[in-house]
Amino acid sequence: MTQENVEIVRRIYGSLSKGDDAWLELIAPEIVIDFSRRLVDPFVLRGRDDPALAVLQRDGLEIWDELPAWEPEELIETENKVLAFIRFSGRGRSSGAQVEAHVANVWTFQDATPVELVYFGEDRAAALEAVGMSE
């Protein structure tokens, strides 16, 4: 098994942390981004051209004082998936409050291209189960 998919996920998080759009070129045009497990404003996006993606990016820039950081703490590749445990951090623009969360995402790949991202929040066990692993 190669580390190619892990490196792609690492590049995506790096791009998000820099605030550039390079990550969009790394994902499939028809990608499904599933944040339905999110406690506040859950959503599912379907494709890079989903209008909600532009709204999400714009709102994100308005919410944070600086660009939030997406730091991979652990990336585990299993067959066609990459399990990403990341540290998300940022400072709220209005409140000035520092926010930090340790969350899990599962990326599904097809032909070395991410076709799905599922957010698991802090539910590490569910994320592990989604890739056929357990704690």
Side-chain angles (χ1 to χ4, degrees):
M1 185 181 314
T2 71
Q3 289 286 103
E4 181 181 8
N5 293 346
V6 166
E7 290 310 312
I8 291 168
V9 169
R10 192 179 310 282
R11 288 175 51 206
I12 289 170
Y13 288 125
S15 174
L16 287 167
S17 292
K18 287 189 280 188
D20 64 38
D21 290 338
W23 69 277
L24 292 170
E25 297 303 317
L26 298 171
I27 61 174
E30 68 281 357
I31 192 165
V32 174
I33 300 174
D34 182 352
F35 273 72
S36 60
R37 294 173 184 255
R38 205 164 87 157
L39 298 176
V40 177
D41 298 329
F43 63 89
V44 176
L45 299 175
R46 299 189 188 287
R48 288 191 308 213
D49 296 330
D50 190 319
L53 182 58
V55 171
L56 184 67
Q57 288 180 296
R58 183 197 68 226
D59 289 352
L61 292 174
E62 292 174 3
I63 292 170
W64 303 105
D65 189 34
E66 300 174 347
L67 288 172
W70 305 73
E71 300 171 37
E73 296 181 314
E74 185 177 7
L75 299 172
I76 302 167
E77 186 172 22
T78 63
E79 306 237 353
N80 68 331
K81 297 186 185 296
V82 173
L83 173 55
F85 294 110
I86 64 167
R87 177 182 168 265
F88 174 87
S89 61
R91 181 176 307 281
R93 182 179 304 272
S94 298
S95 67
Q98 184 67 34
V99 175
E100 181 173 303
H102 297 268
V103 298
N105 295 320
V106 173
W107 296 84
T108 301
F109 282 75
Q110 184 176 356
D111 300 323
T113 303
V115 295
E116 182 182 49
L117 164 64
V118 179
Y119 169 83
F120 284 87
E122 296 178 351
D123 193 346
R124 183 180 177 95
L128 284 164
E129 185 177 312
V131 297
M133 300 174 75
S134 62
E135 289 192 89

